Amino acid sequence: SKAMKPRGVYSAFHGSKLVTLRPNENELLDELEVLELNQPENLEDLRVQRQIMEAADAERFEISEAMTFPNAIEVCWRTPQRMMERVERYKLMVANASGVVKEVCQGRYERFKVTGLAQSTEYVFCVKAIFDDGSHLWSPSRAFVTKLQGDHQGMRVSSAPPHGHPH
């Protein structure tokens, strides 16, 4: 077996297929491997398949949560460990309902508070990771809605239970 750098392997789910791109000995990403995840025959297969899915999920570059305020949204994103050392900087993009996209920050942040937003309005966020070799990767986009004025409690939007006490 060839000794490849593990960081050269990229996987993505496409429908029920797991597509894996791996480099050849010349470091070129040219070997495409498609694994068809068929409908499981039994519960054991389902359990294994879910573990595969969850492992892939934990390794995803994504916006993990946001704190919403009347005129601001603080967005946090997480980067898989295997990508960390290669990231040079991030760019956070935000789009409003009319499709206007703005770059709101660039740097080594992993959280950023976007201010000057309209209240009770939906905004779509996306993070671009730029690597030391000039390549880049976009996170999946996520939409969050600012709060109504008068609702002062910052609200946490994530899979984690909310923190803070109601006023």
Side-chain angles (χ1 to χ4, degrees), residues 139-167:
S139 73
S141 54
R142 278 193 73 179
F144 301 103
V145 179
T146 49
K147 302 184 79 57
L148 264 172
Q149 200 71 50
D151 192 353
H152 297 300
Q153 176 68 19
M155 197 176 102
R156 213 177 179 91
V157 188
S158 74
S159 47
H163 298 286
H165 307 284
H167 294 299

Side-chain angles (χ1 to χ4, degrees), residues 85-138:
E85 79 258 24
R86 298 176 48 222
V87 176
E88 195 178 89
R89 64 188 192 279
Y90 299 98
K91 282 186 181 187
L92 177 62
M93 315 297 276
V94 61
N96 62 15
S98 52
V100 179
V101 180
K102 277 200 314 203
E103 180 187 309
V104 286
C105 88
Q106 181 170 190
R108 299 275 334 196
Y109 310 99
E110 287 196 8
R111 62 168 53 230
F112 191 81
K113 189 172 186 172
V114 183
T115 55
L117 303 179
Q119 58 173 314
S120 195
T121 304
E122 184 178 71
Y123 292 90
V124 177
F125 294 86
C126 194
V127 182
K128 182 183 190 178
I130 299 156
F131 299 110
D132 48 21
D133 63 358
S135 63
H136 66 266
L137 179 67
W138 287 97

